[in-house]
Amino acid sequence: MTEVSMVVNGKKVSRNVEGRTLLVQFLREGLELTGTHVGCDTSQCGAC
């Protein structure tokens, strides 16, 4: 697990995540920001 900290929509957030977590997963599942669109689910396309 790795601690990730960032500012999202003007608020500082910190969460412990697995190293393989995609940014889109962090936003949708970790922060419940479901408006974020999933591009490919494999991290190969760069959409996330």
Side-chain angles (χ1 to χ4, degrees):
M1 299 293 272
T2 302
E3 183 176 2
V4 174
S5 298
M6 65 183 76
V7 177
V8 179
N9 294 334
K11 295 181 182 178
K12 186 173 180 174
V13 295
S14 295
R15 300 284 191 283
N16 288 318
V17 297
E18 293 184 35
R20 62 183 179 166
T21 303
L22 300 175
L23 177 58
V24 71
Q25 290 173 315
F26 178 79
L27 294 172
R28 290 182 60 83
E29 298 166 18
L31 302 181
E32 299 181 7
L33 298 174
T34 56
T36 307
H37 296 280
V38 178
C40 67
D41 282 336
T42 64
S43 73
Q44 299 300 311
C45 69
C48 60

